[in-house]
Amino acid sequence: MRKIMIISILLAIAGRMLGDNLHVADAQLKAGEEKQISIELANPDRNYAAFQFDLILPEGVKIALNKKGKLNASLVEDRIDDHTMSIEELSEGHYRFLAFSMSNSEFYDSDGPLVNVTIKAEEDVAPGALTATITEQVFTAKDGIQYDFSDVTFNIMIEQVSGIDEILVDDTCNDVYSIDGVLYKKDVVSPNELPQGIYIINGRKYVVK
């Protein structure tokens, strides 16, 4: 009996040490830009029926909202049967994903894109390389056995916006507003009058570097 228990424990440990994991390709964004990223599963030897993981985005980047005001993320249609997924923002930039099947169906195929997420860079995020993390990965097989995967990271590169965006100045309305919609200065005739920052002029966004 003891020997059987030891073998079972060793098998469970071996399963958890496999190379199965999530993967996200590095992304590039400009300030204020949205982009869809794909969270992929790589586990060629096993199928899973449910999962949970946390996505921690760096300061200045968040999951965008869809037209319904919900977090813009979804399961890849080609991979699911009757699976559903819920997302909860645990704290700013920290999101928890949970997906399962009421009939305990497995995800189709054992690897490839699993979840699509649209992320957005804040208007005032500084350029440079940022790091996002996927942690607390727990995948459950159809037989109920759970597998914990190691943390993974990926880079989000915020691109440098050079110079001054093209600015259209006319003789009728050149009032400058902050990004929050507060009037900053009236009757601006040249972008050289403005310090570094992000502005709204004539209903359009301009970046002064």
Side-chain angles (χ1 to χ4, degrees), residues 102-114:
M102 292 296 293
S103 62
N104 200 30
S105 299
E106 295 177 332
F107 292 102
Y108 295 122
D109 297 328
S110 59
D111 58 0
L114 189 60

PDB file of all heavy atoms in Angstrom, residues 102-114:
ATOM      1  N   MET A 102     -19.060  23.077 -18.173  1.00  0.00           N
ATOM      2  CA  MET A 102     -20.082  22.426 -17.338  1.00  0.00           C
ATOM      3  C   MET A 102     -20.136  20.928 -17.598  1.00  0.00           C
ATOM      4  O   MET A 102     -20.501  20.143 -16.714  1.00  0.00           O
ATOM      5  CB  MET A 102     -21.446  23.056 -17.610  1.00  0.00           C
ATOM      6  CG  MET A 102     -21.562  24.500 -17.138  1.00  0.00           C
ATOM      7  SD  MET A 102     -21.409  24.664 -15.338  1.00  0.00           S
ATOM      8  CE  MET A 102     -22.910  23.834 -14.800  1.00  0.00           C
ATOM      9  N   SER A 103     -19.753  20.499 -18.811  1.00  0.00           N
ATOM     10  CA  SER A 103     -19.765  19.077 -19.142  1.00  0.00           C
ATOM     11  C   SER A 103     -18.378  18.444 -19.013  1.00  0.00           C
ATOM     12  O   SER A 103     -18.178  17.304 -19.430  1.00  0.00           O
ATOM     13  CB  SER A 103     -20.295  18.876 -20.562  1.00  0.00           C
ATOM     14  OG  SER A 103     -19.447  19.507 -21.509  1.00  0.00           O
ATOM     15  N   ASN A 104     -17.430  19.206 -18.459  1.00  0.00           N
ATOM     16  CA  ASN A 104     -16.060  18.734 -18.282  1.00  0.00           C
ATOM     17  C   ASN A 104     -15.395  18.401 -19.611  1.00  0.00           C
ATOM     18  O   ASN A 104     -14.582  17.481 -19.721  1.00  0.00           O
ATOM     19  CB  ASN A 104     -16.009  17.521 -17.353  1.00  0.00           C
ATOM     20  CG  ASN A 104     -14.626  17.291 -16.767  1.00  0.00           C
ATOM     21  OD1 ASN A 104     -13.875  18.228 -16.569  1.00  0.00           O
ATOM     22  ND2 ASN A 104     -14.300  16.039 -16.496  1.00  0.00           N
ATOM     23  N   SER A 105     -15.738  19.167 -20.643  1.00  0.00           N
ATOM     24  CA  SER A 105     -15.136  18.956 -21.967  1.00  0.00           C
ATOM     25  C   SER A 105     -13.710  19.492 -21.988  1.00  0.00           C
ATOM     26  O   SER A 105     -13.382  20.466 -21.306  1.00  0.00           O
ATOM     27  CB  SER A 105     -15.960  19.677 -23.041  1.00  0.00           C
ATOM     28  OG  SER A 105     -17.279  19.179 -23.084  1.00  0.00           O
ATOM     29  N   GLU A 106     -12.879  18.863 -22.790  1.00  0.00           N
ATOM     30  CA  GLU A 106     -11.512  19.325 -22.942  1.00  0.00           C
ATOM     31  C   GLU A 106     -11.435  20.411 -24.007  1.00  0.00           C
ATOM     32  O   GLU A 106     -12.257  20.460 -24.937  1.00  0.00           O
ATOM     33  CB  GLU A 106     -10.609  18.156 -23.340  1.00  0.00           C
ATOM     34  CG  GLU A 106     -10.495  17.074 -22.280  1.00  0.00           C
ATOM     35  CD  GLU A 106      -9.640  15.911 -22.747  1.00  0.00           C
ATOM     36  OE1 GLU A 106      -9.597  15.680 -23.979  1.00  0.00           O
ATOM     37  OE2 GLU A 106      -9.019  15.239 -21.902  1.00  0.00           O
ATOM     38  N   PHE A 107     -10.441  21.266 -23.879  1.00  0.00           N
ATOM     39  CA  PHE A 107     -10.173  22.227 -24.946  1.00  0.00           C
ATOM     40  C   PHE A 107      -9.672  21.464 -26.160  1.00  0.00           C
ATOM     41  O   PHE A 107      -8.895  20.510 -26.043  1.00  0.00           O
ATOM     42  CB  PHE A 107      -9.111  23.238 -24.502  1.00  0.00           C
ATOM     43  CG  PHE A 107      -9.572  24.174 -23.423  1.00  0.00           C
ATOM     44  CD1 PHE A 107      -9.183  23.974 -22.108  1.00  0.00           C
ATOM     45  CD2 PHE A 107     -10.416  25.235 -23.715  1.00  0.00           C
ATOM     46  CE1 PHE A 107      -9.607  24.821 -21.104  1.00  0.00           C
ATOM     47  CE2 PHE A 107     -10.844  26.090 -22.717  1.00  0.00           C
ATOM     48  CZ  PHE A 107     -10.444  25.886 -21.408  1.00  0.00           C
ATOM     49  N   TYR A 108     -10.137  21.873 -27.340  1.00  0.00           N
ATOM     50  CA  TYR A 108      -9.684  21.217 -28.560  1.00  0.00           C
ATOM     51  C   TYR A 108      -8.201  21.507 -28.782  1.00  0.00           C
ATOM     52  O   TYR A 108      -7.748  22.639 -28.604  1.00  0.00           O
ATOM     53  CB  TYR A 108     -10.492  21.718 -29.761  1.00  0.00           C
ATOM     54  CG  TYR A 108     -11.959  21.360 -29.706  1.00  0.00           C
ATOM     55  CD1 TYR A 108     -12.938  22.350 -29.749  1.00  0.00           C
ATOM     56  CD2 TYR A 108     -12.371  20.040 -29.599  1.00  0.00           C
ATOM     57  CE1 TYR A 108     -14.280  22.032 -29.707  1.00  0.00           C
ATOM     58  CE2 TYR A 108     -13.716  19.717 -29.556  1.00  0.00           C
ATOM     59  CZ  TYR A 108     -14.661  20.718 -29.603  1.00  0.00           C
ATOM     60  OH  TYR A 108     -16.000  20.403 -29.547  1.00  0.00           O
ATOM     61  N   ASP A 109      -7.474  20.510 -29.184  1.00  0.00           N
ATOM     62  CA  ASP A 109      -6.031  20.589 -29.402  1.00  0.00           C
ATOM     63  C   ASP A 109      -5.320  20.831 -28.077  1.00  0.00           C
ATOM     64  O   ASP A 109      -5.881  21.416 -27.149  1.00  0.00           O
ATOM     65  CB  ASP A 109      -5.659  21.680 -30.412  1.00  0.00           C
ATOM     66  CG  ASP A 109      -6.242  21.413 -31.788  1.00  0.00           C
ATOM     67  OD1 ASP A 109      -6.369  20.219 -32.135  1.00  0.00           O
ATOM     68  OD2 ASP A 109      -6.567  22.376 -32.498  1.00  0.00           O
ATOM     69  N   SER A 110      -4.106  20.392 -28.016  1.00  0.00           N
ATOM     70  CA  SER A 110      -3.367  20.488 -26.766  1.00  0.00           C
ATOM     71  C   SER A 110      -2.473  21.715 -26.687  1.00  0.00           C
ATOM     72  O   SER A 110      -1.957  22.036 -25.628  1.00  0.00           O
ATOM     73  CB  SER A 110      -2.507  19.233 -26.568  1.00  0.00           C
ATOM     74  OG  SER A 110      -1.599  19.092 -27.645  1.00  0.00           O
ATOM     75  N   ASP A 111      -2.282  22.412 -27.808  1.00  0.00           N
ATOM     76  CA  ASP A 111      -1.473  23.628 -27.729  1.00  0.00           C
ATOM     77  C   ASP A 111      -1.972  24.642 -28.750  1.00  0.00           C
ATOM     78  O   ASP A 111      -2.823  24.351 -29.577  1.00  0.00           O
ATOM     79  CB  ASP A 111       0.012  23.325 -27.941  1.00  0.00           C
ATOM     80  CG  ASP A 111       0.297  22.661 -29.274  1.00  0.00           C
ATOM     81  OD1 ASP A 111      -0.667  22.435 -30.036  1.00  0.00           O
ATOM     82  OD2 ASP A 111       1.460  22.379 -29.552  1.00  0.00           O
ATOM     83  N   GLY A 112      -1.435  25.863 -28.652  1.00  0.00           N
ATOM     84  CA  GLY A 112      -1.846  26.933 -29.533  1.00  0.00           C
ATOM     85  C   GLY A 112      -2.575  28.029 -28.778  1.00  0.00           C
ATOM     86  O   GLY A 112      -2.739  27.979 -27.561  1.00  0.00           O
ATOM     87  N   PRO A 113      -3.042  29.073 -29.485  1.00  0.00           N
ATOM     88  CA  PRO A 113      -3.740  30.198 -28.859  1.00  0.00           C
ATOM     89  C   PRO A 113      -4.941  29.728 -28.048  1.00  0.00           C
ATOM     90  O   PRO A 113      -5.716  28.893 -28.495  1.00  0.00           O
ATOM     91  CB  PRO A 113      -4.162  31.052 -30.057  1.00  0.00           C
ATOM     92  CG  PRO A 113      -3.195  30.705 -31.141  1.00  0.00           C
ATOM     93  CD  PRO A 113      -2.882  29.248 -30.944  1.00  0.00           C
ATOM     94  N   LEU A 114      -5.084  30.285 -26.862  1.00  0.00           N
ATOM     95  CA  LEU A 114      -6.165  29.887 -25.962  1.00  0.00           C
ATOM     96  C   LEU A 114      -7.052  31.065 -25.577  1.00  0.00           C
ATOM     97  O   LEU A 114      -8.279  30.946 -25.543  1.00  0.00           O
ATOM     98  CB  LEU A 114      -5.575  29.248 -24.708  1.00  0.00           C
ATOM     99  CG  LEU A 114      -6.537  28.576 -23.732  1.00  0.00           C
ATOM    100  CD1 LEU A 114      -7.297  27.431 -24.406  1.00  0.00           C
ATOM    101  CD2 LEU A 114      -5.782  28.051 -22.510  1.00  0.00           C
TER     102      LEU A 114
END
